[in-house]
Amino acid sequence: MKNMRTAIYPGSFDPVTLGHLDIIRRAAVMFDRLIVAVMHNQNKTPMFTMEERMDFLRRTTAGLSGVEVDSCGGLLADYAARKNACAIVKGLRAVSDFEYEFQMALANRKLNPALDTMFLMTSAENMYLSSSVVKDIAVHGGSIAGFVPDELMEDIVRRTKKGG
Ligand code: PNS
């Protein structure tokens, strides 16, 4: 479709949380196409494989119109250009997220001047939520109910036990 407005929501999604899904739902209605891109963060070693992370995202976004799940190994700015995206969507929680996100947004715009980053404030109930918190709770045998989509709970718990 000509003039189709595409945005990219990038992240590690290791695994997807209810906080990510909230951002996906809210961003999806603002663009014609929202590509949820599972990417490599060089500062993190993922617990879940790329395939698992994409499968979790596909299962939980299946009913959302205009939302696609993809993976990308290179630079986000190049990927966005290939997909003809006009925006990167990011969620912001506490002030502590800001400095890192601000730096990435400016670097991405320098790499691809046609690309802007749009920040959505987290919903208040997700302030404390992160994939790291989910993994930590699951590894120690706690309940991750209310942190991740119900349909993923069993798989995440099983995998975190097996993974160690
Ligand atoms: O969920 P995360 O781990 O905070 O997401 C960070 C991510 C994956 C979006 C970021 O590390 C990234 O964009 N990686 C791709 C490589 C890249 O473009 N790096 C330069 C960013 S300025």
Side-chain angles (χ1 to χ4, degrees):
M1 197 208 317
K2 211 167 174 267
N3 296 327
M4 189 157 85
R5 297 182 69 80
T6 298
I8 315 279
Y9 179 40
S12 305
F13 303 108
D14 187 47
V16 60
T17 67
L18 290 178
H20 293 132
L21 273 176
D22 172 55
I23 300 290
I24 292 171
R25 283 200 193 92
R26 287 159 56 198
V29 296
M30 297 175 187
F31 296 93
D32 301 304
R33 180 162 75 135
L34 180 72
I35 305 175
V36 183
V38 185
M39 307 201 70
H40 178 67
N41 182 338
Q42 61 151 353
N43 301 313
K44 296 180 184 169
T45 306
M47 173 177 270
F48 297 93
T49 66
M50 182 62 87
E51 288 69 32
E52 285 173 318
R53 289 180 275 156
M54 289 179 72
D55 172 61
F56 290 164
L57 277 163
R58 285 208 175 97
R59 280 157 60 189
T60 47
T61 61
L64 297 177
S65 133
V67 176
E68 296 168 24
V69 177
D70 195 11
S71 65
C72 166
L75 273 180
L76 175 57
D78 294 342
Y79 176 76
R82 285 202 299 279
K83 294 291 172 183
N84 206 17
C86 60
I88 293 171
V89 171
K90 286 296 197 92
L92 266 190
R93 289 166 303 191
V95 178
S96 51
D97 281 347
F98 179 78
E99 207 171 328
Y100 174 62
E101 293 295 347
F102 186 44
Q103 190 182 24
M104 278 205 291
L106 293 183
N108 280 323
R109 191 137 51 108
K110 175 90 176 156
L111 292 167
N112 178 351
L115 191 63
D116 230 319
T117 302
M118 193 180 88
F119 291 100
L120 292 182
M121 294 299 157
T122 184
S123 298
E125 64 270 27
N126 297 326
M127 273 289 290
Y128 60 90
L129 244 180
S130 74
S131 299
S132 309
V133 163
V134 167
K135 284 180 282 194
D136 205 25
I137 294 172
V139 161
H140 291 96
S143 169
I144 53 170
F147 290 70
V148 298
D150 288 348
E151 63 264 42
L152 301 184
M153 261 170 45
E154 221 178 283
D155 282 350
I156 292 172
V157 168
R158 184 159 20 91
R159 256 303 259 112
T160 41
K161 275 186 189 150
K162 195 173 69 177

